[in-house]
Amino acid sequence: MRNAFAALKDKVFYKLLFLLEGWRSRKKLRLIQRDTSLRLRDKEVSRSTLVIGNAIPKSGTYLLNAIIRELGCWHIPGLHLMSHVLVAMEEDGRSSRVYPSLVSDVINSLPRGIAVAAHLKHDSRLADLLASSPEVKHVFLYRDFRDIFCSFNNWMTKFDEAGHAEPVARKQRFYRDFFECEDDSLAYTSCSMMEGEGFEGYTPWLKDPSTLCLRFEDVYNDLLACSNGGFGQHLLSLFDFLAIDSYPLDPAGFAQRVLGKGWTSSGRRDKIGQFRRKFKPHHYQLIDNIRFRSLMQSYGMSID
């Protein structure tokens, strides 16, 4: 009898815990919806799609965001999605509110007619949502990892306002206090990002049928070439994926209004192959291993 009572008590406890977690989750989603509504106040929705501009960190997240903003078809409420959190950004790119929540729940709760930035590793639940929701447009941007290391190191050491949030700002201060030369900080960046970023977690997006995958270098070169009077094939594939007619757009003016306008942009134009100028022999030695070679190969990149 005592065992039966204990079992019943446990069952009731976990049932109440489940209900409590459900209530908390719904409350968080209501807060997200309210925050988004306030950001979209008095703005008319012109598109019935939601665009997720997903990128590996330092692979052009806000370059993609700037491209979508310039197209003028989606509102940009300053939301940044990650796997278990939504960050609501200030207009200057620094975070204002953080909402812990599962990304698939957030996407279901967001209005259509907007575009959001993201750092989202592959997730089967999210992939299923994309497959069943053609109105959600998922674009994935990736980049040579050696340039990712250079870009992140540059972001940490050479800009006064590196952080979206205080933890990132603390990391920036650590870089400036601890490292006296770029060679040392770049070596640290290469190792710490390989250890902590989980780059392999993004790889399955490359084979996801509901995702448009673009390489940063291709998109960036297309933008630089817009001054010649036309859009390159990679930008055109993005426009086609988003159902945008590129004919009325002025390529040169478009690129001018996009380049250097991202929240974390350095303003430099020589973004491709930075590692060739910055890497020393010991930097190459740090990534001369099976894991890094396999990572590069999984993204269709060669180590030259």
Side-chain angles (χ1 to χ4, degrees), residues 213-224:
C213 298
L214 296 169
R215 186 169 170 174
F216 169 86
E217 291 84 350
D218 295 331
V219 173
Y220 194 75
N221 277 330
D222 274 7
L223 286 168
L224 292 179

Side-chain angles (χ1 to χ4, degrees), residues 39-247:
R39 291 164 180 262
L40 296 174
R41 186 183 300 163
D42 301 327
K43 293 181 179 179
E44 295 183 1
V45 174
S46 59
R47 291 274 172 151
S48 60
T49 49
L50 166 66
V51 181
I52 302 172
N54 186 20
I56 296 173
K58 303 312 296 176
S59 292
T61 313
Y62 288 109
L63 174 68
L64 180 56
N65 202 248
I67 291 172
I68 296 169
R69 174 184 282 109
E70 183 58 28
L71 291 173
C73 298
W74 294 269
H75 299 299
I76 313 288
L79 303 179
H80 192 122
L81 279 170
M82 299 182 201
S83 296
H84 295 91
V85 69
L86 173 74
V87 181
M89 313 288 281
E90 300 274 8
E91 288 189 4
D92 61 358
R94 304 193 70 184
S95 64
S96 54
R97 292 184 180 84
V98 177
Y99 300 101
S101 192
L102 291 176
V103 63
S104 53
D105 292 338
V106 172
I107 291 172
N108 279 324
S109 70
L110 289 176
R112 281 22 183 175
I114 69 171
V116 298
H119 294 320
L120 293 172
K121 297 181 178 70
H122 186 270
D123 173 84
S124 58
R125 185 177 174 185
L126 176 55
D128 290 343
L129 187 154
L130 295 173
S132 62
S133 307
E135 77 281 4
V136 179
K137 302 295 184 180
H138 180 231
V139 183
F140 174 59
L141 205 59
Y142 61 101
R143 184 183 193 180
D144 189 311
F145 292 94
R146 294 165 294 186
D147 274 347
I148 287 178
F149 302 151
C150 292
S151 180
F152 187 90
N153 190 68
N154 196 46
W155 186 45
M156 287 290 103
T157 59
K158 297 182 179 179
F159 292 91
D160 292 333
E161 298 294 342
H164 299 323
E166 178 56 26
V168 183
R170 283 201 303 271
K171 181 175 285 190
Q172 183 192 38
R173 291 193 293 270
F174 164 76
Y175 267 77
R176 294 182 175 181
D177 292 343
F178 197 83
F179 298 110
E180 294 185 358
C181 69
E182 185 178 45
D183 284 353
D184 290 345
S185 62
L186 183 54
Y188 171 80
T189 296
S190 302
C191 294
S192 63
M193 292 194 82
M194 283 300 296
E195 187 274 331
E197 290 295 336
F199 293 127
E200 290 86 351
Y202 293 90
T203 311
W205 287 129
L206 298 176
K207 297 182 179 179
D208 183 78
S210 304
T211 297
L212 175 66
C213 298
L214 296 169
R215 186 169 170 174
F216 169 86
E217 291 84 350
D218 295 331
V219 173
Y220 194 75
N221 277 330
D222 274 7
L223 286 168
L224 292 179
C226 279
S227 59
N228 297 326
F231 290 112
Q233 62 175 324
H234 307 287
L235 280 175
L236 288 175
S237 69
L238 174 62
F239 297 161
D240 183 62
F241 184 71
L242 299 177
I244 291 292
D245 180 9
S246 63
Y247 181 77

